[in-house]
Structure formats: structure tokens, C-alpha cells
Amino acid sequence: MTNIQSEMPFKYIGDNERLKFLGTEWIYVKLYGLGTRENEFIADELGSFIKKHLDKGTIKSSFFIRYSDPKQHLRVRFKVEKNNIFDTVLPIIIKWLEEMRTKGFVNYYCFDPYNPEIERYGGEQSYKIAEDLFFCDSLIVSEWIQINRSGNVNIDEVTFGVFNILQLLKLFNLNIEEQMTWLEINTKPQKYANKFRGKKSTLIELADLIYTNKKLDKYNKISSIIEIREKTAITYSKSIENNPDFLIKNIIMSVIHMHCNRLYGINRDKENLVIGLAYHTIKNYNNALKYNNVLIPN
């Protein structure tokens, strides 16, 4: 056991208990060949398949991440009822995958054991809630991609990413000073000062929605999307609050990193950009409130 593991307030889970093979409640599939149609697939094909089978009860939840090994692919986990997995659920998923091959979305796919990153997200009990958070986050990104591709939205994907980061930092119960410190150490804010100026009015307006729970008609659509995650994020935040401070900060980084992965793909430049813009947004919003003798509500 490493020194870091010995500091954790939870036990390490060995592979025998950790790995989820076909036949358990998790089905894990890698999809290759999506290329430039990845967003189209996530929003239209994957999103509609999940919604259909959530309603039917075939699937209990699902989440995805984008990955390269080194080939670019999409990793999708489905949580299912394991009692009839080989008779009903797996054939349904395979039939859908074959349809995706016929449509030209997927070149090939393969099933793998699901190896959850339990310790990274706060231990066994917290990880179960984290999976619910991943599910909500995947729904948010899928919904966003769909409305963004339709042109029926009034902000761009970078601004939407900042909006999500502001919400997550608030839901993880960090005060303003903690939020700014966290953002500053995870990027180089000065690098993005000029880009912030071009988006300042919109980002400050969105920050006000996050911190005051105000409603603005022109942002109702995107506000309703991110509300999907709110209750689960609060529950998850409470489940990890007794962990060491360094682990809580690492968990927050992981949650935000995986949100950016789902939203932008493997794009560290864009991830650093939205974190930098989030820093400037909070700093400027906080300064404006201080000037007017108002405190940001925690």
C-alpha cells in the first residue's frame, strides 16, 4: 500500500471485486471509427438509444468518455439489470451497434471489463454516486450538442463550458476564494485575459445566474440543461466531504476534466481556456459585487 492510499478514509478495492465483466450490471463497449461524426453520434444516435431504453427500463443509466489508445474512440458504459443480460439486454445493444455499423458511424466495436476508478473519486460508496453524476453529465453534453448543432442556442461551446464549471464549483461547496485558488493553480489565467474581455458581459451575466439563482429568459434553455446535474452533484459533494482536502480538490479536478472531455474531446487547450475564463469570470464578478458592498452567496 502506498503512502497516499494509507491516508485515504476508505479501503482499496482489489481487482476481484472491482472489475465488472459481461454478466454483471455493467456493459462496457468501445466504439471505433466515429471520426468527425462523433458529436453527431453522441447527440442523435447514442442519446436517442439511451432515452428509449431508459423509458423501457432496459438501461438504468449510461455514461461516455472520449479516448485514444492511440486510435480515437468512444467508451460507453451501460448500467443494466443483470438478471436477463444475455437473453435481452446484450442482444439489444449488439443489434443497435450493428445498425451503427450499417449507418457508417462505427467501423468496429469491442466489449471490455469495466474497471471503475473508485479511489480517484472518493471510495466505493462515493463512486456509486459519482457514476450517477457521470450519467447526468453525459445527458447534459448530449443535449447541448443536439441544440448547438440545430443552431437553436445563443452561446458558444466555450461559454457553455465556463457555465458548467461555475456551476460545478458552486455545487462542490467551495467559497469564492477557494474557487479562485483552485482555478488559478489548474491553469494560467493571465494567458486568457484578452479572450475574457471579448466574452466578459455574457460570462458575468451567466455567473450572476449561477450565484443568485436568477432566471433570464434568453438563457432558460441552457439553464434547464445543467439543472439535470444539480441534486446529484450536491449529494456527491456531501459524500466526499470527509476526505482529505487534497483528495477533494483532485476529485473536483477529475469531475471537471471529464466534463471537458465529454464536451470537447481530448483537447487540453480548450479545457485550459475554459478554466482560465472561469477564473476571470469569478474574479471580475466578485470585484463588481465588492464595489457595490455585496457578497457572493455561498
Side-chain angles (χ1 to χ4, degrees), residues 171-211:
L171 295 177
F172 275 105
N173 207 29
L174 300 183
N175 62 40
I176 291 304
E177 289 72 22
E178 288 173 328
Q179 290 181 34
M180 290 177 61
T181 298
W182 185 93
L183 290 163
E184 189 170 21
I185 65 176
N186 281 288
T187 190
K188 297 177 179 178
Q190 65 275 14
K191 183 177 178 180
Y192 307 105
N194 288 335
K195 291 189 176 181
F196 170 73
R197 293 186 190 103
K199 294 178 173 289
K200 181 176 179 178
S201 60
T202 299
L203 290 174
I204 294 298
E205 205 168 42
L206 290 171
D208 199 44
L209 296 186
I210 293 291
Y211 293 113

Short mmCIF file of all heavy atoms in Angstrom, two decimals, residues 171-211:
data_model
loop_
_atom_site.label_atom_id
_atom_site.label_comp_id
_atom_site.label_asym_id
_atom_site.label_seq_id
_atom_site.Cartn_x
_atom_site.Cartn_y
_atom_site.Cartn_z
N LEU A 171 -21.54 23.89 -6.65
CA LEU A 171 -22.19 22.70 -6.09
C LEU A 171 -21.24 21.90 -5.20
O LEU A 171 -21.69 21.19 -4.30
CB LEU A 171 -22.73 21.81 -7.22
CG LEU A 171 -23.86 22.42 -8.06
CD1 LEU A 171 -24.26 21.48 -9.18
CD2 LEU A 171 -25.07 22.75 -7.19
N PHE A 172 -19.94 22.02 -5.44
CA PHE A 172 -18.96 21.36 -4.58
C PHE A 172 -18.66 22.17 -3.33
O PHE A 172 -17.75 21.85 -2.57
CB PHE A 172 -17.68 21.05 -5.34
CG PHE A 172 -17.73 19.77 -6.11
CD1 PHE A 172 -17.88 19.77 -7.49
CD2 PHE A 172 -17.65 18.55 -5.45
CE1 PHE A 172 -17.93 18.57 -8.20
CE2 PHE A 172 -17.72 17.35 -6.15
CZ PHE A 172 -17.86 17.36 -7.52
N ASN A 173 -19.44 23.23 -3.14
CA ASN A 173 -19.45 23.97 -1.87
C ASN A 173 -18.12 24.67 -1.57
O ASN A 173 -17.74 24.81 -0.41
CB ASN A 173 -19.82 23.04 -0.71
CG ASN A 173 -20.47 23.79 0.44
OD1 ASN A 173 -21.12 24.81 0.23
ND2 ASN A 173 -20.28 23.30 1.65
N LEU A 174 -17.40 25.10 -2.62
CA LEU A 174 -16.20 25.90 -2.41
C LEU A 174 -16.60 27.37 -2.30
O LEU A 174 -17.46 27.84 -3.06
CB LEU A 174 -15.24 25.75 -3.59
CG LEU A 174 -14.70 24.35 -3.91
CD1 LEU A 174 -13.71 24.44 -5.06
CD2 LEU A 174 -14.04 23.72 -2.70
N ASN A 175 -16.00 28.09 -1.34
CA ASN A 175 -16.27 29.52 -1.29
C ASN A 175 -15.52 30.21 -2.42
O ASN A 175 -14.73 29.58 -3.14
CB ASN A 175 -15.93 30.12 0.08
CG ASN A 175 -14.46 29.99 0.44
OD1 ASN A 175 -13.59 30.17 -0.42
ND2 ASN A 175 -14.16 29.69 1.70
N ILE A 176 -15.74 31.51 -2.57
CA ILE A 176 -15.18 32.23 -3.72
C ILE A 176 -13.67 32.19 -3.73
O ILE A 176 -13.04 31.95 -4.77
CB ILE A 176 -15.69 33.68 -3.74
CG1 ILE A 176 -17.17 33.70 -4.07
CG2 ILE A 176 -14.93 34.51 -4.77
CD1 ILE A 176 -17.54 32.99 -5.37
N GLU A 177 -13.05 32.39 -2.59
CA GLU A 177 -11.59 32.35 -2.52
C GLU A 177 -11.06 30.98 -2.91
O GLU A 177 -10.06 30.85 -3.64
CB GLU A 177 -11.10 32.73 -1.12
CG GLU A 177 -11.28 34.20 -0.75
CD GLU A 177 -12.73 34.59 -0.49
OE1 GLU A 177 -13.55 33.69 -0.19
OE2 GLU A 177 -13.05 35.78 -0.63
N GLU A 178 -11.72 29.93 -2.44
CA GLU A 178 -11.31 28.57 -2.77
C GLU A 178 -11.49 28.30 -4.27
O GLU A 178 -10.66 27.64 -4.90
CB GLU A 178 -12.12 27.57 -1.96
CG GLU A 178 -11.75 27.53 -0.48
CD GLU A 178 -12.69 26.65 0.32
OE1 GLU A 178 -13.90 26.57 -0.03
OE2 GLU A 178 -12.24 26.03 1.30
N GLN A 179 -12.58 28.80 -4.83
CA GLN A 179 -12.82 28.61 -6.27
C GLN A 179 -11.72 29.27 -7.09
O GLN A 179 -11.18 28.68 -8.03
CB GLN A 179 -14.18 29.19 -6.65
CG GLN A 179 -15.36 28.41 -6.11
CD GLN A 179 -16.68 28.99 -6.53
OE1 GLN A 179 -16.82 29.51 -7.63
NE2 GLN A 179 -17.68 28.91 -5.67
N MET A 180 -11.40 30.51 -6.74
CA MET A 180 -10.38 31.24 -7.50
C MET A 180 -9.01 30.59 -7.34
O MET A 180 -8.25 30.48 -8.31
CB MET A 180 -10.35 32.69 -7.05
CG MET A 180 -11.58 33.47 -7.48
SD MET A 180 -11.60 35.17 -6.87
CE MET A 180 -10.12 35.82 -7.62
N THR A 181 -8.69 30.14 -6.13
CA THR A 181 -7.40 29.46 -5.91
C THR A 181 -7.33 28.18 -6.73
O THR A 181 -6.32 27.90 -7.39
CB THR A 181 -7.21 29.14 -4.42
OG1 THR A 181 -7.20 30.37 -3.69
CG2 THR A 181 -5.90 28.40 -4.19
N TRP A 182 -8.41 27.40 -6.69
CA TRP A 182 -8.44 26.14 -7.43
C TRP A 182 -8.26 26.39 -8.92
O TRP A 182 -7.47 25.72 -9.59
CB TRP A 182 -9.77 25.43 -7.18
CG TRP A 182 -9.84 24.08 -7.82
CD1 TRP A 182 -9.51 22.88 -7.26
CD2 TRP A 182 -10.23 23.79 -9.18
NE1 TRP A 182 -9.68 21.87 -8.18
CE2 TRP A 182 -10.12 22.40 -9.36
CE3 TRP A 182 -10.66 24.58 -10.24
CZ2 TRP A 182 -10.42 21.78 -10.57
CZ3 TRP A 182 -10.97 23.97 -11.44
CH2 TRP A 182 -10.85 22.57 -11.60
N LEU A 183 -8.98 27.38 -9.46
CA LEU A 183 -8.89 27.68 -10.89
C LEU A 183 -7.50 28.18 -11.27
O LEU A 183 -6.95 27.82 -12.31
CB LEU A 183 -9.94 28.72 -11.27
CG LEU A 183 -11.39 28.24 -11.23
CD1 LEU A 183 -12.35 29.42 -11.21
CD2 LEU A 183 -11.70 27.32 -12.40
N GLU A 184 -6.91 28.99 -10.39
CA GLU A 184 -5.61 29.60 -10.70
C GLU A 184 -4.50 28.55 -10.77
O GLU A 184 -3.62 28.62 -11.62
CB GLU A 184 -5.27 30.67 -9.67
CG GLU A 184 -4.05 31.49 -10.03
CD GLU A 184 -3.88 32.70 -9.12
OE1 GLU A 184 -4.45 32.69 -8.01
OE2 GLU A 184 -3.18 33.63 -9.53
N ILE A 185 -4.56 27.55 -9.88
CA ILE A 185 -3.49 26.55 -9.86
C ILE A 185 -3.67 25.50 -10.96
O ILE A 185 -2.75 24.74 -11.24
CB ILE A 185 -3.36 25.85 -8.49
CG1 ILE A 185 -4.61 25.03 -8.17
CG2 ILE A 185 -3.06 26.85 -7.39
CD1 ILE A 185 -4.51 24.23 -6.88
N ASN A 186 -4.83 25.48 -11.59
CA ASN A 186 -5.08 24.49 -12.63
C ASN A 186 -4.97 25.04 -14.05
O ASN A 186 -5.25 24.33 -15.02
CB ASN A 186 -6.46 23.84 -12.42
CG ASN A 186 -6.42 22.78 -11.33
OD1 ASN A 186 -5.86 21.71 -11.53
ND2 ASN A 186 -6.96 23.11 -10.16
N THR A 187 -4.56 26.29 -14.17
CA THR A 187 -4.32 26.87 -15.49
C THR A 187 -3.45 28.10 -15.31
O THR A 187 -2.95 28.36 -14.22
CB THR A 187 -5.65 27.22 -16.21
OG1 THR A 187 -5.38 27.56 -17.56
CG2 THR A 187 -6.37 28.36 -15.52
N LYS A 188 -3.26 28.87 -16.38
CA LYS A 188 -2.51 30.13 -16.32
C LYS A 188 -3.47 31.25 -16.73
O LYS A 188 -3.56 31.59 -17.91
CB LYS A 188 -1.30 30.08 -17.25
CG LYS A 188 -0.28 29.01 -16.85
CD LYS A 188 0.87 28.95 -17.84
CE LYS A 188 1.89 27.88 -17.41
NZ LYS A 188 3.00 27.76 -18.40
N PRO A 189 -4.19 31.81 -15.76
CA PRO A 189 -5.26 32.77 -16.09
C PRO A 189 -4.82 33.95 -16.94
O PRO A 189 -5.57 34.41 -17.81
CB PRO A 189 -5.74 33.24 -14.71
CG PRO A 189 -5.37 32.14 -13.78
CD PRO A 189 -4.09 31.58 -14.31
N GLN A 190 -3.60 34.46 -16.69
CA GLN A 190 -3.16 35.65 -17.43
C GLN A 190 -3.12 35.40 -18.94
O GLN A 190 -3.28 36.32 -19.75
CB GLN A 190 -1.78 36.11 -16.94
CG GLN A 190 -0.63 35.15 -17.20
CD GLN A 190 -0.47 34.08 -16.12
OE1 GLN A 190 -1.36 33.88 -15.30
NE2 GLN A 190 0.68 33.42 -16.11
N LYS A 191 -2.96 34.14 -19.32
CA LYS A 191 -2.91 33.78 -20.74
C LYS A 191 -4.24 34.04 -21.44
O LYS A 191 -4.29 34.22 -22.67
CB LYS A 191 -2.52 32.30 -20.86
CG LYS A 191 -2.35 31.79 -22.27
CD LYS A 191 -1.90 30.33 -22.25
CE LYS A 191 -1.78 29.76 -23.67
NZ LYS A 191 -1.35 28.35 -23.65
N TYR A 192 -5.33 34.07 -20.67
CA TYR A 192 -6.67 34.15 -21.26
C TYR A 192 -7.38 35.46 -20.96
O TYR A 192 -8.58 35.58 -21.20
CB TYR A 192 -7.51 32.96 -20.76
CG TYR A 192 -6.82 31.64 -20.98
CD1 TYR A 192 -6.23 30.94 -19.93
CD2 TYR A 192 -6.69 31.11 -22.27
CE1 TYR A 192 -5.56 29.74 -20.14
CE2 TYR A 192 -6.02 29.92 -22.49
CZ TYR A 192 -5.46 29.24 -21.42
OH TYR A 192 -4.79 28.06 -21.65
N ALA A 193 -6.63 36.46 -20.47
CA ALA A 193 -7.24 37.74 -20.09
C ALA A 193 -7.87 38.42 -21.30
O ALA A 193 -9.00 38.94 -21.22
CB ALA A 193 -6.19 38.65 -19.45
N ASN A 194 -7.19 38.43 -22.43
CA ASN A 194 -7.75 39.09 -23.62
C ASN A 194 -9.00 38.39 -24.13
O ASN A 194 -9.96 39.05 -24.54
CB ASN A 194 -6.69 39.16 -24.73
CG ASN A 194 -5.60 40.16 -24.43
OD1 ASN A 194 -5.81 41.12 -23.68
ND2 ASN A 194 -4.42 39.96 -24.99
N LYS A 195 -8.98 37.07 -24.12
CA LYS A 195 -10.16 36.33 -24.58
C LYS A 195 -11.34 36.55 -23.64
O LYS A 195 -12.50 36.56 -24.07
CB LYS A 195 -9.83 34.84 -24.71
CG LYS A 195 -8.86 34.57 -25.85
CD LYS A 195 -8.70 33.09 -26.13
CE LYS A 195 -7.78 32.89 -27.34
NZ LYS A 195 -7.59 31.46 -27.69
N PHE A 196 -11.05 36.74 -22.35
CA PHE A 196 -12.12 37.01 -21.40
C PHE A 196 -12.81 38.34 -21.72
O PHE A 196 -14.04 38.44 -21.66
CB PHE A 196 -11.60 37.05 -19.97
CG PHE A 196 -12.60 37.56 -18.97
CD1 PHE A 196 -13.68 36.77 -18.60
CD2 PHE A 196 -12.50 38.84 -18.44
CE1 PHE A 196 -14.64 37.24 -17.71
CE2 PHE A 196 -13.44 39.32 -17.55
CZ PHE A 196 -14.51 38.51 -17.18
N ARG A 197 -12.03 39.34 -22.10
CA ARG A 197 -12.60 40.67 -22.37
C ARG A 197 -13.63 40.59 -23.49
O ARG A 197 -14.64 41.32 -23.45
CB ARG A 197 -11.49 41.66 -22.74
CG ARG A 197 -10.56 41.97 -21.57
CD ARG A 197 -9.54 43.06 -21.92
NE ARG A 197 -8.54 43.14 -20.86
CZ ARG A 197 -7.32 42.64 -20.95
NH1 ARG A 197 -6.93 42.03 -22.06
NH2 ARG A 197 -6.46 42.75 -19.95
N GLY A 198 -13.41 39.73 -24.45
CA GLY A 198 -14.36 39.60 -25.54
C GLY A 198 -15.66 38.91 -25.15
O GLY A 198 -16.66 39.01 -25.88
N LYS A 199 -15.66 38.21 -24.02
CA LYS A 199 -16.85 37.47 -23.58
C LYS A 199 -17.36 37.97 -22.22
O LYS A 199 -18.26 37.38 -21.64
CB LYS A 199 -16.52 35.98 -23.44
CG LYS A 199 -16.19 35.27 -24.74
CD LYS A 199 -15.83 33.81 -24.49
CE LYS A 199 -15.67 33.04 -25.77
NZ LYS A 199 -16.95 32.81 -26.46
N LYS A 200 -16.75 39.04 -21.72
CA LYS A 200 -16.96 39.47 -20.34
C LYS A 200 -18.43 39.66 -19.99
O LYS A 200 -18.90 39.13 -18.98
CB LYS A 200 -16.19 40.76 -20.07
CG LYS A 200 -16.33 41.27 -18.64
CD LYS A 200 -15.46 42.50 -18.41
CE LYS A 200 -15.63 43.02 -16.99
NZ LYS A 200 -14.75 44.19 -16.72
N SER A 201 -19.17 40.41 -20.78
CA SER A 201 -20.55 40.74 -20.40
C SER A 201 -21.41 39.48 -20.30
O SER A 201 -22.19 39.33 -19.35
CB SER A 201 -21.16 41.72 -21.41
OG SER A 201 -21.16 41.16 -22.71
N THR A 202 -21.25 38.57 -21.27
CA THR A 202 -22.03 37.32 -21.23
C THR A 202 -21.64 36.46 -20.04
O THR A 202 -22.50 35.92 -19.33
CB THR A 202 -21.84 36.53 -22.53
OG1 THR A 202 -22.28 37.31 -23.63
CG2 THR A 202 -22.62 35.22 -22.49
N LEU A 203 -20.34 36.31 -19.79
CA LEU A 203 -19.88 35.45 -18.70
C LEU A 203 -20.27 36.00 -17.34
O LEU A 203 -20.66 35.24 -16.44
CB LEU A 203 -18.36 35.27 -18.78
CG LEU A 203 -17.86 34.42 -19.96
CD1 LEU A 203 -16.34 34.42 -20.03
CD2 LEU A 203 -18.38 32.99 -19.86
N ILE A 204 -20.21 37.32 -17.17
CA ILE A 204 -20.64 37.92 -15.89
C ILE A 204 -22.14 37.71 -15.69
O ILE A 204 -22.61 37.42 -14.59
CB ILE A 204 -20.30 39.43 -15.87
CG1 ILE A 204 -18.78 39.63 -15.88
CG2 ILE A 204 -20.91 40.10 -14.64
CD1 ILE A 204 -18.05 39.07 -14.68
N GLU A 205 -22.89 37.83 -16.77
CA GLU A 205 -24.34 37.60 -16.71
C GLU A 205 -24.64 36.16 -16.30
O GLU A 205 -25.52 35.91 -15.46
CB GLU A 205 -24.93 37.90 -18.08
CG GLU A 205 -26.39 38.29 -18.06
CD GLU A 205 -26.83 38.84 -19.40
OE1 GLU A 205 -26.43 38.29 -20.45
OE2 GLU A 205 -27.59 39.82 -19.41
N LEU A 206 -23.89 35.21 -16.86
CA LEU A 206 -24.09 33.81 -16.53
C LEU A 206 -23.66 33.52 -15.09
O LEU A 206 -24.29 32.72 -14.39
CB LEU A 206 -23.32 32.92 -17.50
CG LEU A 206 -23.88 32.88 -18.93
CD1 LEU A 206 -22.93 32.15 -19.86
CD2 LEU A 206 -25.25 32.21 -18.96
N ALA A 207 -22.58 34.15 -14.63
CA ALA A 207 -22.14 33.98 -13.24
C ALA A 207 -23.24 34.44 -12.29
O ALA A 207 -23.49 33.81 -11.25
CB ALA A 207 -20.86 34.77 -12.99
N ASP A 208 -23.91 35.52 -12.65
CA ASP A 208 -25.00 36.02 -11.80
C ASP A 208 -26.13 35.00 -11.71
O ASP A 208 -26.75 34.84 -10.65
CB ASP A 208 -25.51 37.34 -12.37
CG ASP A 208 -26.29 38.15 -11.34
OD1 ASP A 208 -25.83 38.23 -10.19
OD2 ASP A 208 -27.36 38.68 -11.69
N LEU A 209 -26.39 34.29 -12.80
CA LEU A 209 -27.41 33.24 -12.77
C LEU A 209 -27.01 32.12 -11.81
O LEU A 209 -27.85 31.60 -11.06
CB LEU A 209 -27.62 32.65 -14.17
CG LEU A 209 -28.17 33.54 -15.28
CD1 LEU A 209 -28.42 32.71 -16.53
CD2 LEU A 209 -29.44 34.24 -14.85
N ILE A 210 -25.73 31.74 -11.85
CA ILE A 210 -25.24 30.66 -11.00
C ILE A 210 -25.31 31.03 -9.53
O ILE A 210 -25.79 30.27 -8.69
CB ILE A 210 -23.79 30.27 -11.38
CG1 ILE A 210 -23.74 29.64 -12.78
CG2 ILE A 210 -23.18 29.33 -10.34
CD1 ILE A 210 -24.37 28.29 -12.90
N TYR A 211 -24.82 32.22 -9.20
CA TYR A 211 -24.65 32.57 -7.79
C TYR A 211 -25.90 33.14 -7.13
O TYR A 211 -25.99 33.16 -5.91
CB TYR A 211 -23.49 33.55 -7.63
CG TYR A 211 -22.16 32.91 -7.96
CD1 TYR A 211 -21.41 33.30 -9.06
CD2 TYR A 211 -21.65 31.88 -7.17
CE1 TYR A 211 -20.20 32.71 -9.38
CE2 TYR A 211 -20.44 31.28 -7.48
CZ TYR A 211 -19.73 31.69 -8.58
OH TYR A 211 -18.54 31.09 -8.89
#
